[in-house]
Amino acid sequence: MNQTLRSSDLNAAADNEAAPSPLFQTRVDERGTGRASEGDDVVAEEIPVAMVYNGISHAVMMATPVDLEDFALGFSLSETIVRSLDEVYELELDYGPDGVTAEMTIATERLFALKEQRRNMAGRTGCGLCGTESLAHAIRKIPKVGAHPAISDQAIQAALTELKQHQPLQAQTGATHAAAWCGVDGSIIAVREDVGRHNALDKLIGHRRRTGNTFESGFALISSRASFEMVQKSATVGIGCLVAVSAPTGLAIREARKADMSLIGFARPGRHVIYHQGQTTHIVEAVQENKT
């Protein structure tokens, strides 16, 4: 009988001395009009992370080397490789000189589906959306998210005000995106950072599901634009409201409409733009959770 993944299994890698730092320190020569100086600078790191399922290498992503357990699980969920974490039996991070390998053991049924997807990818080169048989299949069918709690303007503004306090990598490097899960009152419950906006969202998804939490009450706030992939990943795991500090794309708006997801863009202090209002219920009280 297969044993389901435990959080202790995931946290074990955090103590691995081979784990790379998410920060890189370097000497710089700073120039400006009439001045020049030398000093130290700290920048965000990025490394290759290979997603391997039952010995099959599926994808290699460039990511910030922090919260990689959350990244692997969130990627697996948002890309529909698994439908729930009950289908992930083991996860081990292997740190090597060339990057990190996330070795996962998944349910046999999901492995068969992954192998079928890889067969469709065979022989294709130079593609942006690999593994598709036609243009009609380039964008997978997006699920309906269902009715979700209405999010007030005040809650969105409160989350925006608080977000910077939860972005330590961004504060040090100015190079990372953040994805935050916020309560219906705008309180920030969890944040994950990465140089890649998709990665940050996957890390947040992985963290929420790994800790046994759902996306039924609250909203996601991302420090980037809202592309169709961000909408698709969100809808896939049941996020009913996505708020982005920058613009959405036209395809993202159309996908949000299909999913009946609330999509909000240009979320800045004092204003935000509602591009689609999904089906909502009344505003409910915030769920009390540990902030991480």
Side-chain angles (χ1 to χ4, degrees):
M1 181 176 180
N2 289 318
Q3 185 177 13
T4 56
L5 202 65
R6 300 185 303 269
S7 60
S8 57
D9 299 327
L10 303 179
N11 294 330
D15 298 325
N16 192 323
E17 294 181 358
S21 170
L23 302 173
F24 178 75
Q25 188 168 349
T26 184
R27 293 288 294 177
V28 296
D29 184 5
E30 185 176 351
R31 302 294 179 91
T33 303
R35 62 183 178 86
S37 63
E38 293 185 357
D40 294 323
D41 195 11
V42 176
V43 299
E45 188 60 272
E46 59 179 336
I47 62 170
V49 179
M51 303 293 183
V52 178
Y53 300 91
N54 297 41
I56 299 174
S57 182
H58 176 69
V60 177
M61 313 293 291
M62 298 303 298
T64 303
V66 66
D67 298 315
L68 294 183
E69 303 94 338
D70 291 338
F71 181 36
L73 295 175
F75 177 88
S76 301
L77 289 167
S78 73
E79 294 299 319
T80 67
I81 294 168
V82 297
R83 293 167 296 192
S84 74
L85 293 192
D86 290 338
E87 296 178 320
V88 181
Y89 301 142
E90 291 181 287
L91 167 58
E92 181 178 350
L93 297 181
D94 181 15
Y95 298 89
D98 298 323
V100 178
T101 300
E103 296 269 6
M104 287 168 275
T105 302
I106 61 176
T108 302
E109 181 182 355
R110 305 311 297 163
L111 178 62
F112 286 159
L114 182 62
K115 286 182 176 180
E116 183 62 30
Q117 180 182 352
R118 287 185 58 79
R119 276 195 287 270
N120 289 337
M121 293 171 67
R124 305 177 190 274
T125 60
C127 57
L129 288 168
C130 296
T132 58
E133 297 178 347
S134 67
L135 291 175
H137 296 121
I139 303 171
R140 66 176 183 261
K141 185 177 180 180
I142 195 166
K144 294 275 189 180
V145 297
H148 47 278
I151 306 300
S152 69
D153 298 340
Q154 293 78 10
I156 293 170
Q157 290 299 313
L160 284 169
T161 300
E162 189 182 347
L163 181 61
K164 281 189 177 181
Q165 304 171 31
H166 299 269
Q167 295 178 264
L169 290 180
Q170 172 66 6
Q172 294 178 80
T173 69
T176 58
H177 285 294
W181 183 251
C182 311
V184 292
D185 62 351
S187 61
I188 291 184
I189 296 169
V191 178
R192 289 296 181 266
E193 295 185 86
D194 198 277
V195 290
R197 55 194 170 88
H198 303 94
N199 299 345
L201 182 58
D202 279 337
K203 287 178 178 181
L204 178 68
I205 291 169
H207 166 71
R208 290 287 297 171
R209 299 305 297 130
R210 176 174 63 80
T211 53
N213 293 297
T214 69
F215 299 98
E216 294 177 358
S217 179
F219 62 99
L221 172 62
I222 55 175
S223 65
S224 64
R225 65 186 177 91
S227 62
F228 93 91
E229 299 103 323
M230 302 295 271
V231 169
Q232 193 171 72
K233 284 177 179 288
S234 297
T236 297
V237 298
I239 294 174
C241 179
L242 179 65
V243 180
V245 302
S246 193
T249 64
L251 182 54
I253 296 170
R254 294 192 295 274
E255 290 295 287
R257 290 171 179 167
K258 291 178 185 177
D260 207 16
M261 172 195 294
S262 295
L263 179 61
I264 297 168
F266 287 114
R268 309 289 171 81
R271 70 179 290 266
H272 50 269
V273 180
I274 300 174
Y275 287 90
H276 181 67
Q277 180 67 68
Q279 181 183 356
T280 59
T281 60
H282 63 285
I283 298 177
V284 299
E285 294 182 0
V287 176
Q288 294 298 317
E289 302 182 38
N290 293 325
K291 297 183 179 182
T292 55

